[in-house]
Amino acid sequence: MRKLFLVSACLVGARTRYDGEARLHPELLQLLQEGRAVPICPEQLGGLTTPRPPAEIQGGDGFDVLAGRARVVTGEGQDVTAAYLRGAEEVLRLAKIWRVSGAVLKERSPACGCSQIYDGTFTGKLRAGFGVAAAILAQAGLPVFSENSWKDKE
Ligand code: SF4
């Protein structure tokens, strides 16, 4: 049976990003067109609007947010941690009922990042770490790739 992957919706053309744009990745679009990927946007699934203010994780990464040690805030200082947790939990629920083999998620996002995220200072600096949705999937034992590290695992 062919493997099915979750994929960040913005990578396959959906205008789900905070700025109302997409970041189309042709190889991942092809994966979706072949019926091997399902698009998800954890930030929208958590109830956030599009467009929305950009947000970053402060005090750690997605694993720390899941453990209650860090929070997600907008540049204006609004705490949006609850929405990120809701979105991550919904992504995990869908991963289970759809029986996906893994996920290919957008690097650097506070929800989807899976090796690098912004450092919480809103200065464009990066740190190693996972976004909240990527962390909940990895914590559940699912392979999580970025659009840069992904290659066809079939
Ligand atoms: Fe893309 Fe993930 Fe951000 Fe949604 S939360 S716009 S899928 S990077």
Side-chain angles (χ1 to χ4, degrees):
M1 199 166 75
R2 297 185 107 189
K3 292 179 178 175
L4 182 67
F5 291 89
L6 295 179
V7 62
S8 291
C10 58
L11 290 174
V12 290
R15 294 175 176 167
T16 51
R17 280 170 45 102
Y18 73 93
D19 58 3
E21 297 295 333
R23 280 288 182 275
L24 185 63
H25 189 290
E27 282 180 48
L28 294 174
L29 177 60
Q30 188 179 344
L31 196 74
L32 179 138
Q33 288 167 337
E34 291 169 358
R36 300 159 60 203
V38 282
I40 49 91
C41 175
E43 292 176 4
Q44 288 190 343
L45 287 168
L48 294 170
T49 57
T50 305
R52 55 190 169 273
E56 297 188 7
I57 299 175
Q58 292 184 336
D61 77 345
F63 290 106
D64 298 304
V65 174
L66 294 174
R69 294 188 295 264
R71 60 192 194 125
V72 191
V73 297
T74 68
E76 293 80 38
Q78 184 190 358
D79 189 326
V80 287
T81 306
Y84 276 75
L85 288 171
R86 259 198 316 274
E89 284 159 10
E90 181 65 0
V91 166
L92 179 59
R93 188 184 73 84
L94 293 171
K96 287 178 178 170
I97 64 173
W98 292 341
R99 296 183 182 170
V100 301
S101 300
V104 187
L105 302 178
K106 177 78 183 71
E107 197 57 281
R108 302 182 178 184
S109 155
C112 289
C114 47
S115 67
Q116 279 190 321
I117 54 171
Y118 289 103
D119 73 351
T121 61
F122 294 91
T123 57
K125 289 185 193 149
L126 295 168
R127 54 157 287 168
F130 278 56
V132 184
I136 206 169
L137 293 173
Q139 202 165 263
L142 278 172
V144 180
F145 308 98
S146 76
E147 73 274 32
N148 301 318
S149 69
W150 177 80
K151 55 183 186 295
D152 197 333
K153 296 292 173 185
E154 195 173 55

